[in-house]
Amino acid sequence: DRKDCTVVDVPSDCIGYITGARRATLGAMEEEWGVLMFFMSKSADKGRGRGGGSEKLIIFGPERGRRGAELKVMSGVEAKNPGYFTKGLREKTTGTRGFDTDRLLFKDDELSYSLGKQGSTRKKLEGAAGAILEYVGHVAFIAGNLKERTRCKEFLSWLLAQRRGSVTIPDVSSRDDATEIHIPDNCKGWVTGNRGSELRRMEADTGTYMFMALDDRGDERLIIFSHHPGSKGSEKGRAAAERLVNELIQEKLRDDGRGRDSRSPSRRRDRSDSRRGRRRSPSRRRRSPSRRRGDSRRRRDSRSRSRR
């Protein structure tokens, strides 16, 4: 009946995985979400769950932290025992303005694309939306208030749409979570980087979500999304990302204006260093053994004539 407590049923064969060596995994979740977690078993619980039993994991803390930790545990259990939490689940969308949880179902290819390398894409969307986003099997759980949940679902839909081609977002002027930047055509490749590498770097540095999108006229521009607006001197948020993008644009324009190689100085140095490394050092001339023997005979003959 407590309002500061959440109980998760964990099957016995997953307890060690969830706890971690010397409680490392539980400790990491406690630190991340600001909660207190421990197992509490009762005799009545024995025999439940796969593998012959289960134990109850108790989570104490604020509602948002408890839900984040609970979903993290559910994701871990589902990875070890597929279907334990998600069997029979359907998509769910609530209209609750306050804190609640929505669900989306993924296909196999959608899950891997939305997860990213070591969960980088999921974390990016979660941070930019300001919501809790966790994947439990093929189900995406989205927790937060109505605005956060709606924003996170929009980000996910745009992400998946990028697999099929360009995304069209007609107008973002009425949004309070978007910054629009029009990039000169000769700077687009420099700002986005190879396969979007520069965008991914700036996203990671500033906690934002950004991509090139078409407007209602079919013109392409860069949109930076994040619930955090940032400030002039901050390292996180949309303002920080906008500053990094403008720095790249100015760098490209300066290089083009000087008529120099558009690569950054560090890249040019790396290339010149590699070229120098490939040059062969002047080799010493080595005379053949027969030539050396002929030279020694001539020296002996000259010494014998001088003695005479």
Side-chain angles (χ1 to χ4, degrees), residues 10 13 17 53 69 105 113 136 157 173 175 189 231 256 259 272 307:
V10 179
D13 57 352
Y17 179 72
L105 299 184
Y113 190 79
V136 181
S157 66
S173 59
R175 300 183 66 110
S231 62
D256 286 354
S272 62
R307 289 173 185 171

Side-chain angles (χ1 to χ4, degrees), residues 187-239:
C187 298
K188 288 181 180 178
W190 181 250
V191 171
T192 58
N194 182 32
R195 296 184 180 180
S197 59
E198 283 298 316
L199 291 183
R200 304 292 86 78
R201 177 185 64 82
M202 291 186 285
E203 286 175 336
D205 289 345
T206 60
T208 57
Y209 173 42
M210 60 178 76
F211 57 92
M212 303 295 293
L214 303 177
D215 60 16
D216 51 1
R217 297 185 302 273
D219 295 330
E220 192 176 44
R221 80 281 200 211
L222 178 67
I223 308 179
I224 304 171
F225 290 100
S226 177
H227 72 101
H228 182 23
S231 62
K232 186 176 180 180
S234 65
E235 296 181 356
K236 298 291 183 180
R238 299 193 311 273

Side-chain angles (χ1 to χ4, degrees), residues 9-19 39 48-55 76-82 84:
D9 192 55
V10 179
S12 298
D13 57 352
C14 296
I15 292 175
Y17 179 72
I18 296 300
T19 305
F39 281 96
R48 293 182 57 200
R50 299 183 185 180
S54 65
E55 290 191 21
V77 171
E78 191 73 16
K80 297 288 285 184
N81 279 337
Y84 189 84

